[in-house]
Amino acid sequence: MKIGIINYPTFGGSGIVGTELGLELQKRGHEVHFISYQIPERLKLEEDFIFHEVNILSYPLFKYKPYTIILASLLHKLVNEHELDILHGHYAIPHATSLYLAKLSNNKAKIISTIHGSDMHLLGLDDAYKPILVNSLNNHDALTTVSKWMKQFVVDNYDMEKDIEVIYNFVDPKKFSKIKKPEKEEVVFCHVSNFRKVKRSPDIVKAFAIEAEKFDHVRLEMIGEGPEREYCQDLAISLGINDKITFRGSLLNVPRVLCFTDVFVIPSEKESFGLAALEAMACNIPVISSNAGGLPEVVEHEKTGFVVEPGDIDALAKYMNVMIEDETLRKKLGKASAQRAKEVFHPDKIIPQYESLYKKIIEK
Ligand code: GMT
């Protein structure tokens, strides 16, 4: 099949999933065209790919550049030039509307969108987006989303006429198990996110402070950029634990840092799936997550880590404590995490689900 993948080029989960999906499809012999406003971060690690840039021209009249129509026009052109069978958008705003416009204008390629998370559990709820977003999605050939929780949320909060198929995110264990873990005394906690409010990153600093007061051999790695990163840094200073926390900014090679860490922490308020947690699991790392959104579909309480209520800092600290004190349990949970990542979220299990959906809508 000839497939166009439309995604954000940044470190965000939808960008990563779109890129990794395209690469997996390419491996399986499909012709994949990556379409974005710059080369997606993860694609920069690859050599063999077709990329089309959404070229946003300036015009004196425009205070805001009309991305949606520019992307739609490019999609129209690419479908005609390359005879694409499928256009697959990741993150519904505004990609779903560009896809629908492209379909209206030439109606040749089948269009499919994957709803990833904040596009619909946060942003899309606003009337500034909602009516056109829903209309665009209802006119798709297929819709997918990344967890059962996210599907239910969309069904409950939008007037959806189109069915949504749940296809979980995936991780290639080979990419994450290459690097050997060094032997070390410290217990290292790690958080990877875009530091938006919804991630509740400051809760980690607060819980970690409780444990850092009791134990010397603990450290926290905070990876990523975003609105609450500075607040987390200020908090670390005011709680007197600045020397035990490293803020690293966005990293291209996350596995490299993950291999030095022992426990992943993701205490989000809302989280449709938690790809960062899954990548940690593939690295033999147990996870402390919140009981929010689709996270419990990924992290199993007392099997691959611990699940706490969002905002419960004491519970977060309690399980950090368990992870520090009980190395045997920590390793057992880590091993079970890698096992679960391989058994449930392996590309060989997930990619065929996308392939059969593509086939189904083409044949229709
Ligand atoms: O909202 C974000 O954190 C970024 C967002 C994205 O689309 O870039 O991530 C969402 O999609 C990921 C990939 O499917 C999921 O793993 C994340 O859980 C989800 N984020 C939220 O729901 C907050």
Side-chain angles (χ1 to χ4, degrees):
M1 284 179 262
K2 293 186 177 186
I3 303 155
I5 296 277
I6 301 96
N7 63 350
Y8 283 107
T10 54
F11 288 100
S14 68
I16 293 175
V17 172
T19 305
E20 297 286 357
L21 170 62
L23 292 169
E24 288 290 340
L25 289 165
Q26 199 167 282
K27 254 200 255 169
R28 287 161 169 79
H30 302 287
E31 181 179 308
V32 176
H33 294 248
F34 292 93
I35 302 154
S36 193
Y37 59 79
Q38 66 190 40
I39 296 183
E41 289 299 334
R42 287 257 172 124
L43 206 54
K44 289 180 186 162
L45 298 168
E46 305 295 321
E47 281 167 8
D48 175 24
F49 57 85
I50 306 168
F51 174 70
H52 305 278
E53 184 182 330
V54 186
N55 202 345
I56 312 167
L57 303 170
S58 303
Y59 186 69
L61 206 59
F62 298 149
K63 185 169 172 195
Y64 305 104
K65 292 171 186 168
Y67 186 74
T68 310
I69 186 172
I70 296 172
L71 173 58
S73 298
L74 177 63
L75 296 177
H76 170 97
K77 178 172 156 258
L78 294 176
V79 169
N80 285 331
E81 272 179 18
H82 300 277
E83 298 180 335
L84 302 180
D85 304 299
I86 296 280
L87 291 173
H88 186 169
H90 292 266
Y91 207 86
I93 301 174
H95 301 145
T97 304
S98 301
L99 287 171
Y100 179 40
L101 287 174
K103 182 178 169 168
L104 280 176
S105 80
N106 63 26
N107 208 22
K108 280 187 208 148
K110 301 291 175 185
I111 61 169
I112 162 167
S113 272
T114 295
I115 297 158
H116 275 275
S118 54
D119 44 357
M120 290 194 79
H121 68 57
L122 209 69
L123 216 52
L125 294 171
D126 196 306
D127 276 344
Y129 300 105
K130 201 172 190 179
I132 299 301
L133 174 64
V134 171
N135 196 274
S136 305
L137 290 172
N138 279 335
N139 281 290
H140 271 49
D141 296 293
L143 299 175
T144 75
T145 192
V146 296
S147 66
K148 292 177 190 151
W149 173 85
M150 191 64 220
K151 173 176 176 170
Q152 197 53 50
F153 185 93
V154 175
V155 169
D156 291 345
N157 290 279
Y158 296 85
D159 293 327
M160 297 305 298
E161 289 159 12
K162 192 99 210 146
D163 185 37
I164 304 169
E165 189 166 326
V166 175
I167 302 183
Y168 282 139
N169 288 331
F170 57 91
V171 65
D172 180 356
K174 272 192 260 120
K175 285 196 180 171
F176 288 82
S177 51
K178 267 192 243 154
I179 306 163
K180 217 175 136 26
K181 269 187 186 246
E183 287 299 324
K184 55 179 177 33
E185 285 291 299
E186 281 179 318
V187 179
V188 183
F189 292 88
C190 171
H191 173 65
V192 181
S193 87
N194 49 24
F195 287 79
R196 280 184 292 161
K197 236 183 158 50
V198 74
K199 300 286 177 184
R200 297 196 70 99
S201 313
D203 287 3
I204 304 173
V205 180
K206 290 177 194 163
F208 179 74
I210 298 173
E211 296 313 302
E213 205 162 89
K214 296 188 243 164
F215 302 96
D216 273 341
H217 66 297
V218 291
R219 200 158 55 78
L220 173 61
E221 292 273 350
M222 298 287 270
I223 301 167
E225 296 286 353
E228 290 210 316
R229 177 186 148 151
E230 212 175 300
Y231 173 59
C232 286
Q233 280 179 299
D234 290 347
L235 202 59
I237 294 168
S238 67
L239 293 169
I241 49 165
N242 197 29
D243 58 328
K244 290 191 167 179
I245 306 189
T246 313
F247 288 88
R248 287 194 191 270
S250 296
L251 293 177
L252 188 52
N253 200 340
V254 178
R256 216 156 175 93
V257 175
L258 279 180
C259 82
F260 285 95
T261 74
D262 301 288
V263 181
F264 191 85
V265 191
I266 178 165
S268 315
E269 184 78 43
K270 264 188 194 161
E271 190 74 58
S272 67
F273 182 87
L275 182 69
L278 177 61
E279 292 190 335
M281 286 167 67
C283 238
N284 277 288
I285 296 170
V287 177
I288 305 177
S289 86
S290 57
N291 183 19
L295 277 171
E297 291 172 56
V298 182
V299 183
E300 291 185 305
H301 186 62
E302 292 180 344
K303 286 187 185 154
T304 63
F306 297 108
V307 179
V308 305
E309 287 312 309
D312 190 345
I313 292 163
D314 290 336
L316 210 54
K318 177 180 123 188
Y319 287 119
M320 281 182 168
N321 195 300
V322 172
M323 294 290 202
I324 296 165
E325 288 192 323
D326 195 341
E327 187 186 351
T328 313
L329 175 66
R330 196 173 73 224
K331 294 217 158 126
K332 189 176 144 204
L333 297 174
K335 207 168 154 204
S337 295
Q339 191 66 23
R340 179 163 167 76
K342 208 164 150 187
E343 273 170 20
V344 183
F345 304 103
H346 194 284
D348 291 348
K349 295 245 153 68
I350 306 297
I351 308 303
Q353 297 179 41
Y354 281 113
E355 287 177 299
S356 59
L357 184 60
Y358 294 163
K359 242 192 233 153
K360 193 169 90 185
I361 59 178
I362 288 173
E363 278 161 14
K364 216 168 160 189

